[in-house]
Amino acid sequence: MKGIRIAAAAVLVMAFLVTVFAQFLAPAGYEHQFRDQPEARPSLQHPLGTDQLGRDSLARLLYGMRVSLLLAPLAAALSTLLAGLVGGLAGCFGGWTERVCTLLIDLFLAVPWLFLLITVRAALPLDISPAQSVVITFLLLGMLGWAASARVICAGARNLMRSEFVWSARAMGFSGFRLIRLHLLPNLRGALAAQFWISIPVFIIAEANLGALGLGVAEPLPSLGSLLKEIQEFVTLRSESWRLLPLFVLIAVVSAFQALLNREKVRA
Amino acid sequence: MLRKLGFAALRLLCVMLLASFAGAVLLRIAPGFSSDEQELTPGLSAQSVQAIRDAKMADSNIPRFYARYLRSLFHGDLGVSQSLNQPVSALLRERVPVTARNLGFALLAGWILALGLALTSQLVRTRWFAFVADGLSSSFISTPAAVLALIFVLLRWPAMLAAALLIFPKVYSYARNLLHESSRMPHVFAAQSRGAGRLRTLICHVAPIALPQLVALLGVSISLGLGVLLPIEVICDTPGVGQLAWQAAQSRDLALLVNLTLIVSFVTVCATMLSDAFRSEPAGSAA
């Protein structure tokens, strides 16, 4: 099992390196069109061929990975922040604050996450610039994906508030923000970090789902989701199996995250 | 007991009302709400176009629309879908059974596969089996629902199998961990030391401990299945609730979307309550 974890770490490091150095590995860029070579098969010049518009598929894959792999952690950070705020408030203050926060959490959990995401994204404008679409997509992921994490944080904060060291801190006069900053936040850090890491692969997949339905990052900017959408333009996959490479990359990256997260779970 | 039930019913009601109201607000503020594609039909007279605009304007005040909707709801009237020109109740009567059937199949197949592998991994404790089962689970958990549906459509395989394969990894990983934890309890070691075989230990000592938590997981998997079915029904063009929700969101059909949100939130909250009833502490993940 140790070998699997090393392999998973290697896959992630390689994926991040490749995304960072995308402009050196694919100098043509993701939007340059080789107009005389649309839908080209893999060759030395284009190792993964070209798409219907003659754009280099390898370049689009590398830049797509950059968008998905660098922005999913940002969305995860936003969702963890919201989860920490709402869950922490509910767990620390209890009473009506907890009831209102729980209702808010229930409201977000009441509608399945993907259903909510697709409905909200479909209700937002689609004729926007690629950069705006990236920001909207990942902001939505962060703002709609916090509820399940908030439940975990709420339970953790509630348990901490009942613990002996918090009682003794309160007896010594600690209260309000000081109690939260000095006693609760340091003890909730582990739970918050776990929720952050768990959210990253979930958001990568959510973006891919949105992209595959045409609601993700706008053209010409690629993302793993928008690259997967291109699969539906090919009538048969059996004769052009290299078109599935973005899917295999996605599976490899998310599986690597899962393998490392399982390791953290074992440690905890 | 009665107080608990009353509180649960109140929570259910509040969440459903808030969820459907949020859905209505969202669609009202969405761009394109005030325009209707039907207005562009060349054969329509000026009066018809005005009638379409009046109908649209009647829905533009959200609190008034929602109050009117709730009043009609108590009289059993769910309104009329503007985009499909049909009563919402008729549409739901048509679509809900399709999604219920698909969900039932996906849950059944996903659970059989997941439990089968989780139980077998307890009996056959070899490294290669764990590697294959975990690899299979990891592959499907890492595949977006829409993409798997797309591949199944291209390969002409039954689409609902895709939903089952997406439910399977969550159930499998939870069930495997649960069975593993239950098998490390002191009474299980005692039974093993007295000569009980693996199968007997699993059936008599491990499974009964894990059963309530597995039932709780059933509640969660209903919500998961509904989420997974939406993109699958859209991609595979299956006439279910998921496809209807997609059409409602795209054509800004307020009446239809509010009802769908109400139904989906009702099913999900009930499933979550069932799940909560079987476990003492809430637990979960971003998934």
Side-chain angles (χ1 to χ4, degrees), chain A residues 22-35 37-64 220 222 227 230 242-243 246:
Chain A
Q23 64 266 44
F24 302 111
L25 295 168
Y30 60 86
E31 55 185 346
H32 180 78
Q33 284 180 281
F34 297 89
R35 288 172 188 262
Q37 295 172 298
E39 289 188 48
R41 298 180 76 85
S43 63
L44 273 178
Q45 195 190 355
H46 305 292
L48 292 179
T50 59
D51 66 6
Q52 286 179 324
L53 299 173
R55 296 172 299 191
D56 184 51
S57 295
L58 178 67
R60 290 186 65 72
L61 177 62
L62 297 183
Y63 281 93
L227 291 175
E230 289 170 12
W242 68 89
R243 306 275 182 206

Side-chain angles (χ1 to χ4, degrees), chain B residues 89-112:
Chain B
S89 51
L91 284 170
L92 292 178
R93 257 200 306 277
E94 237 171 65
R95 307 285 187 122
V96 169
V98 175
T99 298
R101 215 172 26 246
N102 291 341
L103 183 65
F105 173 79
L107 284 175
L108 188 70
W111 268 79
I112 288 174

Side-chain angles (χ1 to χ4, degrees), chain B residues 11 30 87 91 123 142 177 210 245 248 263 278:
Chain B
R11 183 179 147 205
L91 284 170
L123 293 173
S142 313
N177 290 343
I263 289 173
F278 280 92

